[in-house]
Amino acid sequence: MDVSGLVWAVTLVALVAVLAVDLLIIGRRPHEPSVRESSLWVGFYVGLALLFGAGLWLFSGPSAAGQFYTGWLTEYSLSVDNLFVFVIIMARFGVPRQYQQKVLLVGIVLALIMRGGFIAAGAALISQFSWVFYIFGAFLIYTAINLARQGEPDEDEFSENVLIRWSRRALPLSRTYDGARLVTHENGKRLFTPLLIVMIAIGTTDLIFALDSIPAIFGITQQAYLVFTANVFALMGLRQLYFLLGGLLDRLIYLSYGLAVVLGFIGVKLVLEALADNNLPFINGGEHVAWAPHIPIWLSLLVIIGTLLVATAASLAKSARDRRRALAEARS
């Protein structure tokens, strides 16, 4: 793809406009969205992503569209896993439900800005050093193994990162929330509310998750424009998805295993691509490895969709069996 500066500019302006509308709506009326409202917003953002992919198909061909859809689906599924940690953070800091929308949106905006830096750095590394795929691939395989071993995090496993602990010590903080405000006044003093700390926690936590998701999407496409837009569309509907799924997150008990399979698959794909393009002198004498296969994008898409569907179906079936067993035990 040859993406001009004008296309980048138009894309950025359009995305900023959508986020600005979101901020305006939340700023004027902080509330806990209903299932219907959340469903409409999630449908809106998913529709935007599908429409964007259709536009790519029209102007850049099916290959670009396929890479975008596969990358977006991968990032979206990894973002759902992030929601488990978001729920823990909200519970740990006791954020009132009606203010959680603002926290999520500001945290997501911060994450988008920071991920932009990651994407630029990753694209620069790949363009200069093809061997970086070995590192990305090995890291994803390592992450997949850890994810399969640990499963979904619980509240006891959550620990505050360095930035959160520093913010608690360095910033003048009030003990209680003051609506959706970040700044309040107590005894004539200007203090930050705990809402600021929660926003920092959400933003930095999502940045940590980017260490997995950014290499994963570079395993699907090396086009910085597609990597960036797939990340943006995956994150933009995350706030509404948080409220839509609600208690359903507790029922997705096998999601972590499905995501582990996805990350492991992409990690292996990256290593195979690195072998096919190898120029490291200590591997095969610096020559390309002829037997290393190229995994087409359609196969990647099928593997990712199939894995997520199986993990979701198995999770819901297991949860349904557990509920029936619990009801039977309660009656007996």
Side-chain angles (χ1 to χ4, degrees):
M1 285 182 65
D2 184 17
V3 182
S4 66
L6 178 61
V7 172
W8 270 103
V10 171
T11 303
L12 290 173
V13 168
L15 294 175
V16 168
V18 173
L19 289 173
V21 171
D22 235 356
L23 281 169
L24 182 62
I25 292 173
I26 294 175
R28 294 184 62 180
R29 191 171 66 91
H31 65 289
E32 179 183 351
S34 64
V35 173
R36 181 178 181 275
E37 179 184 346
S38 298
S39 299
L40 290 173
W41 274 105
V42 170
F44 170 72
Y45 282 123
V46 169
L48 273 184
L50 295 176
L51 189 62
F52 182 81
L56 285 172
W57 188 302
L58 181 63
F59 292 103
S60 299
S63 177
Q67 291 176 44
F68 169 77
Y69 283 135
T70 307
W72 167 68
L73 183 62
T74 301
E75 294 297 305
Y76 206 62
S77 59
L78 291 171
S79 295
V80 172
D81 198 46
N82 298 6
L83 295 183
F84 286 94
V85 180
F86 292 172
V87 169
I88 293 172
I89 291 173
M90 297 295 187
R92 175 69 66 87
F93 289 95
V95 183
R97 293 282 291 180
Q98 64 268 31
Y99 306 134
Q100 290 182 9
Q101 281 207 87
K102 182 176 182 179
V103 173
L104 287 168
L105 184 57
V106 174
I108 287 168
V109 170
L110 290 174
L112 281 172
I113 295 171
M114 292 184 287
R115 282 192 184 207
F118 266 167
I119 292 169
L125 279 173
I126 290 170
S127 66
Q128 295 295 321
F129 310 105
S130 61
W131 51 260
V132 79
F133 278 155
Y134 285 116
I135 298 175
F136 282 1
F139 178 72
L140 288 179
I141 294 170
Y142 169 78
T143 303
I145 294 171
N146 280 344
L147 186 58
R149 285 177 175 174
Q150 297 171 4
E152 299 299 345
D154 57 36
E155 189 168 352
D156 294 333
E157 295 176 348
F158 175 77
S159 59
E160 297 180 358
N161 59 49
V162 174
L163 184 57
I164 298 174
R165 294 197 298 269
W166 176 85
S167 300
R168 282 186 179 277
R169 293 194 305 267
L171 299 176
L173 294 171
S174 66
R175 294 182 177 273
T176 59
Y177 293 97
D178 184 10
R181 297 182 180 88
L182 296 178
V183 178
T184 187
H185 292 83
E186 292 182 3
N187 302 321
K189 293 183 179 179
R190 192 167 180 266
L191 303 175
F192 292 104
T193 69
L195 208 62
L196 177 64
I197 303 299
V198 181
M199 289 180 180
I200 293 173
I202 294 290
T204 54
T205 299
D206 196 83
L207 181 63
I208 293 171
F209 278 113
L211 294 176
D212 302 335
S213 62
I214 297 300
I217 194 171
F218 271 117
I220 295 166
T221 177
Q222 286 82 61
Q223 297 289 338
Y225 182 77
L226 297 180
V227 172
F228 177 74
T229 50
N231 267 274
V232 171
F233 279 109
L235 288 174
M236 282 172 68
L238 195 58
R239 172 176 59 85
Q240 292 83 2
L241 194 63
Y242 172 89
F243 290 98
L244 178 61
L245 293 180
L248 182 62
L249 286 174
D250 293 333
R251 297 167 59 189
L252 298 177
I253 55 178
Y254 295 132
L255 179 62
S256 60
Y257 299 107
L259 293 176
V261 171
V262 170
L263 289 177
F265 169 77
I266 298 175
V268 171
K269 181 176 183 291
L270 276 171
V271 172
L272 290 175
E273 290 185 4
L275 288 171
D277 297 329
N278 178 65
N279 55 17
L280 294 180
F282 53 86
I283 296 179
N284 198 37
E287 299 295 327
H288 304 330
V289 178
W291 58 261
H294 170 70
I295 299 176
I297 197 67
W298 63 265
L299 181 57
S300 299
L301 186 58
L302 284 179
V303 169
I304 292 168
I305 292 176
T307 301
L308 295 176
L309 286 177
V310 170
T312 302
S315 296
L316 296 179
K318 176 69 163 56
S319 297
R321 288 196 302 270
D322 290 344
R323 286 200 308 275
R324 288 195 298 268
R325 186 180 300 114
L327 287 173
E329 291 175 356
R331 291 171 182 169
S332 59

